[in-house]
Amino acid sequence: MGSWGNLGPALLSLAGVVLGAGGSLFGQYLVSRASNRQVQIQEAAAHRAELKNVILRFLSIAWQVEKTAFTSPPAGASAATPALDRLVDDLWLAQAEIDLSARSEPLRGAAYRYATHLAGAARGELADASALRGPQVRFFDAAYDDMWPGQRRPAGDSRMSR
């Protein structure tokens, strides 16, 4: 009994130290994991914000190109004007920004195809704006998927068939 009287409290103290150290390490692990997840969330939010700005710039220019390309030019004038040429140049720069900012190849490809169709409209190769709707929808779908990967769109969003 004498040795247990001396050894018991020492073993219980050692067990307390081991449990305390284990609990401390486990707590640090949980904090580290939560911090990493928080960094990932912040990086995703920053990417979405940057990409949103780039997409809005691209769409603003795309709208201007479409509007200018499909307004009827005066009789005898060509469809291409210096202002429209500048808009198409700006469109390609905005498409390049998307190319640099996008995380996914589908968004890069959809932006390129939409810009190509818009440039064709500016050259007078398209009869009406309805030919742009398919590439536009695919661009929007790819943009959504790049900004929120793996998430489904909320109910009520209409998707045209691909």
Side-chain angles (χ1 to χ4, degrees):
M1 183 81 168
S3 70
W4 177 248
N6 292 333
L7 192 57
L11 287 176
L12 287 176
S13 294
L14 182 60
V17 168
V18 168
L19 284 175
S24 178
L25 289 174
F26 185 68
Q28 287 177 351
Y29 166 75
L30 290 178
V31 167
S32 172
R33 198 171 105 184
S35 295
N36 287 340
R37 180 68 182 134
Q38 188 64 28
V39 166
Q40 289 173 345
I41 290 170
Q42 289 171 347
E43 287 175 352
H47 171 258
R48 274 193 303 276
E50 176 188 357
L51 189 58
K52 175 185 169 192
N53 289 333
V54 169
I55 287 171
L56 289 175
R57 175 173 148 64
F58 177 82
L59 289 173
S60 173
I61 295 168
W63 178 79
Q64 291 174 39
V65 168
E66 183 177 341
K67 181 179 171 189
T68 306
F70 290 113
T71 55
S72 57
S78 70
T81 65
L84 187 55
D85 289 341
R86 259 192 317 280
L87 281 173
V88 171
D89 289 342
D90 290 344
L91 177 72
W92 284 115
L93 286 173
Q95 185 275 327
E97 287 183 73
I98 289 176
D99 209 33
L100 293 171
S101 299
R103 286 186 176 167
S104 69
E105 190 57 39
L107 178 56
R108 290 181 187 105
Y112 178 80
R113 285 185 292 279
Y114 185 32
T116 300
H117 280 82
L118 285 163
R123 290 188 302 267
E125 296 171 3
L126 299 178
D128 63 24
S130 64
L132 295 173
R133 295 307 157 241
Q136 184 183 54
V137 167
R138 286 186 287 280
F139 171 75
F140 279 117
D141 289 344
Y144 185 90
D145 291 342
D146 194 87
M147 291 174 73
W148 293 281
Q151 292 187 11
R152 299 185 71 188
R153 284 197 176 181
D157 282 357
S158 62
R159 283 188 160 186
M160 293 174 60
S161 62
R162 293 181 185 188

